[in-house]
Amino acid sequence: MGTTINENVHRKESWDKVTGNAKYTDDYPITKCLCARLLTSPHPHAKIKFINILKAQKLEGVKAIITGHDFPILTGPLLKDRPPLAKDIVRYAGEPVAMVVAITEAIALKAVRLIEVEYEKLTPIFSPIKALETDAPILHPYLSQYTKVQKDIYPIENTNISSKFQIRKGDIEE
């Protein structure tokens, strides 16, 4: 096929597109896909006393329900201190507590609403200055036990300080 200059080139799919007969990705039914939805905490800081997933599990079409106890890993860019799903405690409003996997979005949403969580509210911290106060609630009581992603991270136990750096350069008197 040669180069065509100054000629109309008819594309083979043109007629299907202008008549509305062309098939696009959204025109095909979605099959064998599962939907996942999260249950999140309404509290900024609370203990998770228990999670009851029994009613949600009984719902037809639910394939799995996962909680922090089923998925005990930690992630984070500097310290591995963040669970994908909260385990034992939530540290911010909206933190994921459970995940439902179901055959449709509607079933997943209905199952999320059937999960019962009992929380014990704890004192929240809303500013970094408050977090540094000596009587501030400790958000991570096992701070020094977390895996460090980088070597130069220095957490201070029994505080909310995940790393402290000392920079000494120059003459302070000058």
Side-chain angles (χ1 to χ4, degrees), residues 105-144:
E105 182 177 8
I107 293 171
L109 288 170
K110 186 173 182 178
V112 161
R113 291 186 189 109
L114 291 174
I115 296 172
E116 299 168 0
V117 182
E118 185 179 331
Y119 297 97
E120 179 185 324
K121 292 182 187 179
L122 300 172
T123 304
I125 302 173
F126 295 111
S127 80
I129 300 300
K130 292 284 186 192
L132 293 174
E133 292 177 357
T134 55
D135 62 340
I138 303 300
L139 296 177
H140 293 272
Y142 308 108
L143 190 59
S144 65

Side-chain angles (χ1 to χ4, degrees), residues 79-100:
L79 278 177
K80 291 188 177 186
D81 63 345
R82 300 175 193 170
L85 296 171
K87 180 182 171 186
D88 302 324
I89 193 164
V90 292
R91 294 181 178 92
Y92 61 92
E95 183 170 6
V97 172
M99 181 173 68
V100 174

